[in-house]
Amino acid sequence: MKSCKMEGCDKPVAGRGLCHMHYKRWARHGDPEVTMVKKECKEEGCERRHFCKGYCEPHYRRMRKRKA
Ligand SMILES: [Zn+2]
Ligand SMILES: [Zn+2]
């Protein structure tokens, strides 16, 4: 029996080469890896919860103010 094509996942395939969990994730979000995205701010040393574009709320606002 084939197993899920996602790395580190050896559950049996349900559809599109993905196991049931990854297939549902793909169907819902269009990306089977979506929940592997870090849900924390990507600013170094910041552990606040993710708000938008990979940043927490204060860091996101700060980033938006900055005009590259
Ligand atoms: Zn899987
Ligand atoms: Zn932050």
Side-chain angles (χ1 to χ4, degrees):
M1 197 194 254
K2 279 185 166 181
S3 61
C4 177
K5 68 180 180 182
M6 294 306 293
E7 214 177 300
C9 183
D10 55 11
K11 293 185 193 75
V13 165
R16 289 193 154 254
L18 299 165
C19 70
H20 191 65
M21 181 193 77
H22 281 123
Y23 180 72
K24 269 175 71 179
R25 211 175 266 181
W26 170 82
R28 184 178 298 177
H29 305 286
D31 182 358
E33 282 189 273
V34 75
T35 62
M36 289 179 194
V37 172
K38 227 178 141 198
K39 286 290 178 193
E40 273 177 11
C41 178
K42 66 183 179 185
E43 185 80 15
E44 213 178 301
C46 179
E47 290 178 357
R48 271 184 287 258
R49 271 184 48 217
H50 175 255
F51 173 68
C52 194
K53 305 255 183 207
Y55 291 97
C56 66
E57 193 169 352
H59 280 133
Y60 175 67
R61 283 167 198 251
R62 194 189 66 182
M63 184 195 71
R64 281 192 48 165
K65 271 187 198 169
R66 227 189 269 155
K67 288 191 178 162

